[in-house]
Amino acid sequence: MLLVLLALAVPGWLLRPVLRQLPRVVRLVREPAPLALPVPVEGVAPGELTDTWNAPREGGRRRHQGIDIFAPRDTQVLAATRGLVVRRGWNDLGGRRVAILGPGGRYHYYAHLEEYGDAKLWDWVEAGEIIGYVGDSGNAQGTPTHLHYGIYELTGAVNPYPRLTGH
């Protein structure tokens, strides 16, 4: 009986940070996704962006599912929307990356960070909060420093460029 109680209690204890945010997340996912977003890199204006969506990558074997926003190393990366940090950590492509579940259930992906901001996994962030700093981590190492910013919905990736520029 003790093992059964432990088997039930441990997952509940581990999921506590997520469960605490559940009512807020349900409201967030039910609201419409914004059609316009601020550029998530401090000091970069919409007119400075280039649409790098769908450009070939790695010898044409895959396509770029986001936009690269170039800026000096350590420039602040800001959350484009409020939401829940659902991923924070390393992977070989994105390097240091953060993902935020935002309005409408869209997943906002920030990659190639030099360093992370203060927000941890399962933290709630507000739009404009510092979530990291521009870098070249992951497969961008040695390239000009930039933020890779992607937006994903249930049907797949969507081009962030029109939402950041109004075009």
Side-chain angles (χ1 to χ4, degrees):
M1 181 63 161
L2 182 58
L3 288 176
V4 171
L5 289 174
L6 280 174
L8 294 173
V10 170
W13 180 259
L14 294 174
L15 290 174
R16 198 173 49 127
V18 178
L19 296 174
R20 198 175 16 185
Q21 300 284 11
L22 194 57
R24 185 185 253 181
V25 169
V26 169
R27 286 191 304 273
L28 180 75
V29 169
R30 293 176 115 179
E31 69 184 59
L35 297 176
L37 294 166
V39 176
V41 176
E42 182 68 30
V44 176
E48 298 175 66
L49 299 177
T50 300
D51 189 356
T52 57
W53 171 261
N54 214 26
R57 291 293 190 260
E58 292 184 24
R61 290 181 298 186
R62 62 183 184 88
R63 296 285 185 174
H64 193 231
Q65 293 188 327
I67 181 173
D68 290 335
I69 303 171
F70 294 89
R73 186 178 306 279
D74 294 324
T75 301
Q76 294 176 351
V77 173
L78 311 171
T81 66
R82 70 183 176 291
L84 185 69
V85 176
V86 294
R87 185 165 284 163
R88 182 181 189 263
W90 179 271
N91 79 14
D92 290 339
L93 285 177
R96 287 180 199 86
R97 86 264 197 260
V98 171
I100 297 172
L101 178 65
R106 287 197 171 157
Y107 178 86
H108 298 259
Y109 180 76
Y110 307 80
H112 305 311
L113 302 174
E114 181 70 18
E115 295 293 335
Y116 298 108
D118 292 336
K120 305 285 188 257
L121 187 63
W122 308 124
D123 281 354
W124 185 266
V125 296
E126 294 296 332
E129 189 172 326
I130 299 169
I131 57 170
Y133 299 87
V134 171
D136 66 350
S137 63
N139 71 348
Q141 191 168 28
T143 67
T145 56
H146 65 280
L147 171 71
H148 169 90
Y149 175 63
I151 302 173
Y152 297 84
E153 51 189 28
L154 289 177
T155 58
V158 295
N159 187 354
Y161 182 80
R163 289 155 182 82
L164 298 173
T165 62
H167 294 112

